[in-house]
Amino acid sequence: MDAGLSTPTGWASLFSNTLSRIMGFSIFASIFNGGWASNTPSASGGYVFDSARLLILGTVLEAGRRFFQWLVERFRLQYSITAQFTEGDPAFEWIVMYMTEKNIWKRSRDFRINAKSSIRRWGIRVGADSGETDNKSKLADGKKDASEHVDLVPTYELPHLFKWRSVWIETKRSTSVVNGQTPFGLGFSPGVIYLTMYTLDINALQEFIEEARVCYVELGRASVILHTASQPNFGPGFVWNCVKRKLRRPISSIILEDGMIESIVADAREFIEMENWYIDAGIPHRRGYLLHGPPGTGKTSTIHALAGELGLEIFSLSLSAGFVDDAFLQQAASSIPKKAILLIEDIDCAFSTTPRLGSGGFGLDTDSGFGQALGTGFVGGGGGASGGGASAGMLAMPRLRRSSVTLSGLLNVIDGIGSEEGILFFATTNCIERLDPALLRPGRIDRKIQYRLTTKAQAASLFSRFFPAAHVTLRREDLGDEKLALEDWNTGSRQEVDCTKEVKEARLAALGKEFADNIPNYEFSTAELQGFLLSCKREPGNAARGAKLWVDQERHDRREKAMMMRRMRDGEAGSFQGASGLQDVGDPLASVGASVEASDLIPLTPPHTPSLGLKEGIQCRGLEGAIQ
Ligand SMILES: Nc1ncnc2c1ncn2[C@@H]1O[C@H](COP(=O)(O)OP(=O)(O)OP(=O)(O)O)[C@@H](O)[C@H]1O
């Protein structure tokens, strides 16, 4: 080896000389040999010339770079297919989910961290090789996986290259950006995924998308996907901007009158399976259902369970949202894929044939629960697990809300030119009589399904759902032996008994019957009963015996609420009514269990449970009553 090359300076000198020889630039020799500063003026006479040559070299290099870019572009155009997927469009979801599932985002180094919630974010799992997307909580060494509590969502912005079958695919994503303030809030430009496939076969793109869709459907089987629109959209395809995942609800968990749920499922299934028949017969392939009845009777739950059973996604829209108008409704409906559910809850709240407050499309904002209570004559409904808002909001004054959706806009979506085929349309209402007959005619609403307050049989089914023999441990007091119960009560012990499955089932059935006997027919919603049972979910005996007292307490509460409403109507609400033309809803007292006597209104202060809540107190009184 040349001794001169053993040092870095030797290498630099060789490089510069070679370059100078090739290019004829003495300036390189000067720079690399450290002679720039030390050159004599006579030698630097060629600098101007060298600079010119350097300029030419730069130009040539830049031209070469651009030519290369142009060649790559030509190559892309000639030998690749490019597709764009816009956020808000279902196909965007398919692609993101597919890439997450296939671990393509795994090399990301840039993440957004969100606490886990039901909002779907397609987070990846770190710390495990499987690349599973969620739900696994333990790592091999027993440590908790961070992704149990947070979603690690790649920002996806760096390009990713991967091979699918024998085709190379490159993806890049731009995130959504805020465009500025609009009259309804912030305006957004949707995020876009750019997908380039290096193939000439257009079928490959179709197959890839179909594979992503199938994968999406398969993975979604365990849950129901709920799309909602939480903000206005001013660009294409960005209507359904919030996607939530809910655990599938078994059909058997919906407790309705005999055969009702089975009939709804069979009807919807038949509709989906008979697409070709509809086409051949020239009948638009769509079906509309209206579920109507008091709050908390299972309308929404039915739709969720149905969606899980048939593997459909739900696209749910609230017509009372400020930004929803006819144009938005049209856009939202037309971006729903085939075989999905379009759900409009409380459809009567958007407009009504009878203006409820003045005219011109104003309505009561039923978020307060006030409008609901007035309109349905059902006081105290919606208690329990989800409907507590009604009673809480009973005291609130109604707020004014302008409905921007017109009846003709809605009809147009349901069956007009713009209506989408292959969609199950579901609407719910607490007050069917407010709806325009035009909306209810067959072809728009094909089935009207009435939900009623709970019967004794439903109460018994609910009880057995709450207390399945496999998960319940009976106590001595639950065995129906009053002597044993009194003994336990006096000693303060609550001894569990070890009994056979048969004995347990028989005892639970007897308690269920006792519970149902204490619940009057058609007076309480399933949600209300559920609320009561939740307060004693490990104590079937107390639930059965406490039901009577709970019923008394509820009747008492309803009566009080009704009196308060009457006072409001006569007082503040009266002046409100006078000013606005609020329709008369009759005597609110009349709507509350007419059989309730003043003597029923006993003060309910449980003596033995100072620290417990009301419901627990009721249980204890129930127990106390049973053993005295
Ligand atoms: N028939 C039912 N079977 C099982 N659960 C029910 C039933 N009805 C109500 N529930 C329970 O009560 C709660 C509220 O039910 P849901 O929201 O379906 O009622 P809804 O009729 O849609 O009420 P709203 O008219 O106020 O929207 C849910 O937690 C649900 O589990």
Side-chain angles (χ1 to χ4, degrees):
M1 193 187 199
D2 189 339
L5 297 182
S6 58
T7 61
T9 334
W11 279 107
S13 158
L14 177 71
F15 175 68
S16 63
N17 288 336
T18 313
L19 207 61
S20 298
R21 229 172 281 140
I22 297 169
M23 309 294 292
F25 284 139
S26 57
I27 192 168
F28 287 112
S30 315
I31 294 168
F32 285 96
N33 293 330
W36 181 275
S38 60
N39 276 331
T40 60
S42 63
S44 67
Y47 280 173
V48 176
F49 190 57
D50 283 347
S51 303
R53 283 207 270 186
L54 191 58
L55 193 70
I56 293 167
L57 174 68
T59 312
V60 169
L61 284 177
E62 177 58 18
R65 192 184 67 78
R66 290 192 182 189
F67 180 66
F68 182 72
Q69 253 183 2
W70 179 83
L71 273 183
V72 170
E73 278 301 304
R74 287 310 96 187
F75 177 81
R76 276 185 187 239
L77 285 177
Q78 287 289 320
Y79 300 105
S80 69
I81 301 163
T82 306
Q84 290 185 21
F85 300 86
T86 309
E87 198 170 348
D89 188 281
F92 180 91
E93 283 280 312
W94 306 341
I95 297 296
V96 175
M97 194 282 311
Y98 182 78
M99 303 239 203
T100 310
E101 187 58 20
K102 296 290 170 198
N103 231 0
I104 289 158
W105 307 121
K106 193 105 192 268
R107 271 169 289 142
S108 282
R109 289 289 167 268
D110 199 6
F111 294 97
R112 210 176 61 230
I113 308 292
N114 298 101
K116 249 197 179 6
S117 72
S118 67
I119 295 182
R120 192 174 55 186
R121 299 194 179 93
W122 298 129
I124 65 159
R125 234 185 124 222
V126 288
D129 293 333
S130 65
E132 289 165 73
T133 47
D134 25 35
N135 292 338
K136 297 281 161 44
S137 59
K138 295 243 167 125
L139 296 177
D141 58 4
K143 278 188 206 153
K144 290 271 178 177
D145 182 352
S147 56
E148 185 187 356
H149 300 293
V150 292
D151 282 314
L152 291 97
V153 188
T155 51
Y156 310 118
E157 276 164 23
L158 294 176
H160 285 75
L161 189 68
F162 62 96
K163 204 167 181 184
W164 171 78
R165 298 187 188 166
S166 57
V167 180
W168 283 100
I169 301 180
E170 191 182 334
T171 59
K172 219 172 95 178
R173 173 177 171 173
S174 70
T175 47
S176 57
V177 284
V178 178
N179 284 339
Q181 197 69 31
T182 71
F184 301 102
L186 289 177
F188 285 85
S189 285
V192 178
I193 287 183
Y194 301 92
L195 187 137
T196 307
M197 293 184 95
Y198 293 99
T199 175
L200 290 179
D201 184 8
I202 187 79
N203 291 329
L205 177 64
Q206 289 190 11
E207 283 169 28
F208 178 76
I209 296 172
E210 181 57 15
E211 191 171 311
R213 192 192 67 80
V214 170
C215 179
Y216 176 88
V217 171
E218 285 302 317
L219 282 174
R221 286 211 188 284
S223 47
V224 173
I225 309 296
L226 176 66
H227 301 257
T228 52
S230 59
Q231 63 205 10
N233 164 46
F234 297 97
F238 196 35
V239 178
W240 303 103
N241 45 32
C242 184
V243 188
K244 290 186 180 169
R245 186 183 47 204
K246 302 211 169 248
L247 272 187
R248 240 178 96 173
R249 182 169 182 161
I251 282 288
S252 59
S253 74
I254 306 297
I255 300 162
L256 300 177
E257 286 164 44
D258 275 353
M260 190 163 154
I261 187 76
E262 291 79 8
S263 135
I264 298 172
V265 174
D267 191 277
R269 198 189 296 279
E270 185 184 87
F271 164 77
I272 290 170
E273 288 169 357
M274 290 184 65
E275 181 177 1
N276 288 338
W277 180 87
Y278 276 85
I279 294 169
D280 292 346
I283 300 172
H285 186 224
R286 58 172 170 267
R287 193 146 178 85
Y289 300 81
L290 177 74
L291 313 188
H292 63 99
T297 46
K299 299 181 291 297
T300 311
S301 307
T302 300
I303 297 164
H304 281 250
L306 178 77
E309 179 72 15
L310 301 183
L312 306 173
E313 292 184 26
I314 302 176
F315 293 78
S316 172
L317 206 57
S318 166
L319 297 188
S320 56
F323 57 86
V324 177
D325 58 11
D326 288 352
F328 185 91
L329 189 62
Q330 187 70 58
Q331 193 184 358
S334 58
S335 55
I336 297 175
K338 275 180 89 165
K339 294 188 185 160
I341 290 177
L342 169 61
L343 168 61
I344 297 184
E345 292 214 62
D346 297 322
I347 196 166
D348 58 301
C349 293
F351 44 76
S352 65
T353 46
T354 319
R356 279 170 285 162
L357 198 61
S359 57
F362 280 97
L364 285 178
D365 188 340
T366 51
D367 287 352
S368 66
F370 186 91
Q372 248 179 17
L374 283 177
T376 58
F378 179 78
V379 184
S386 75
S391 45
M394 202 69 75
L395 302 178
M397 285 300 289
R399 284 172 281 140
L400 293 179
R401 172 189 50 72
R402 176 180 262 287
S403 170
S404 315
V405 176
T406 62
L407 178 63
S408 69
L410 182 63
L411 296 184
N412 195 38
V413 164
I414 297 174
D415 74 346
I417 313 156
S419 67
E420 295 302 301
E421 303 266 314
I423 289 180
L424 288 155
F425 170 64
F426 275 89
T428 68
T429 178
N430 298 137
C431 200
I432 190 173
E433 56 274 19
R434 277 196 196 146
L435 297 177
D436 194 296
L439 183 65
L440 300 178
R441 78 137 167 81
R444 289 177 181 142
I445 295 294
D446 301 289
R447 277 194 71 177
K448 294 185 268 297
I449 301 163
Q450 185 175 8
Y451 284 66
R452 294 197 178 86
L453 297 174
T454 318
T455 60
K456 284 182 185 296
Q458 283 172 269
S461 303
L462 192 66
F463 187 91
S464 55
R465 180 157 75 82
F466 260 78
F467 303 109
H471 297 277
V472 172
T473 312
L474 290 180
R475 303 207 174 100
R476 292 202 320 173
E477 69 198 35
D478 297 328
L479 292 181
D481 184 332
E482 291 198 2
K483 235 175 100 188
L484 281 180
L486 187 60
E487 214 175 273
D488 284 353
W489 179 259
N490 288 335
T491 57
S493 69
R494 313 188 80 191
Q495 294 174 35
E496 292 178 354
V497 284
D498 195 15
C499 50
T500 63
K501 189 166 164 258
E502 289 72 29
V503 171
K504 202 196 263 188
E505 281 174 356
R507 190 61 207 139
L508 283 171
L511 288 173
K513 182 170 179 315
E514 186 180 346
F515 173 75
D517 286 345
N518 282 329
I519 303 294
N521 272 325
Y522 303 117
E523 200 176 320
F524 295 96
S525 68
T526 314
E528 286 175 301
L529 293 190
Q530 179 175 287
F532 167 65
L533 288 175
L534 276 173
S535 72
C536 39
K537 50 185 171 296
R538 286 165 174 264
E539 298 161 349
N542 282 353
R545 289 184 293 274
K548 171 82 181 73
L549 200 66
W550 174 79
V551 167
D552 292 343
Q553 172 76 62
E554 287 297 308
R555 286 174 171 166
H556 170 265
D557 288 353
R558 288 181 177 194
R559 200 166 177 85
E560 291 230 314
K561 277 175 195 161
M563 287 196 295
M564 201 172 301
M565 283 176 65
R566 176 188 270 175
R567 276 201 294 273
M568 280 175 71
R569 199 187 61 173
D570 294 347
E572 316 157 54
S575 57
F576 175 73
Q577 177 192 9
S580 60
L582 184 71
Q583 62 182 337
D584 192 355
V585 293
D587 185 353
L589 278 175
S591 64
V592 194
S595 60
V596 181
E597 299 297 330
S599 56
D600 287 337
L601 306 181
I602 45 172
L604 297 170
T605 321
H608 296 293
T609 55
S611 61
L612 295 177
L614 180 64
K615 300 295 181 191
E616 286 86 348
I618 289 174
Q619 292 165 29
C620 288
R621 271 187 63 114
L623 177 63
E624 187 189 17
I627 61 177
Q628 273 169 356

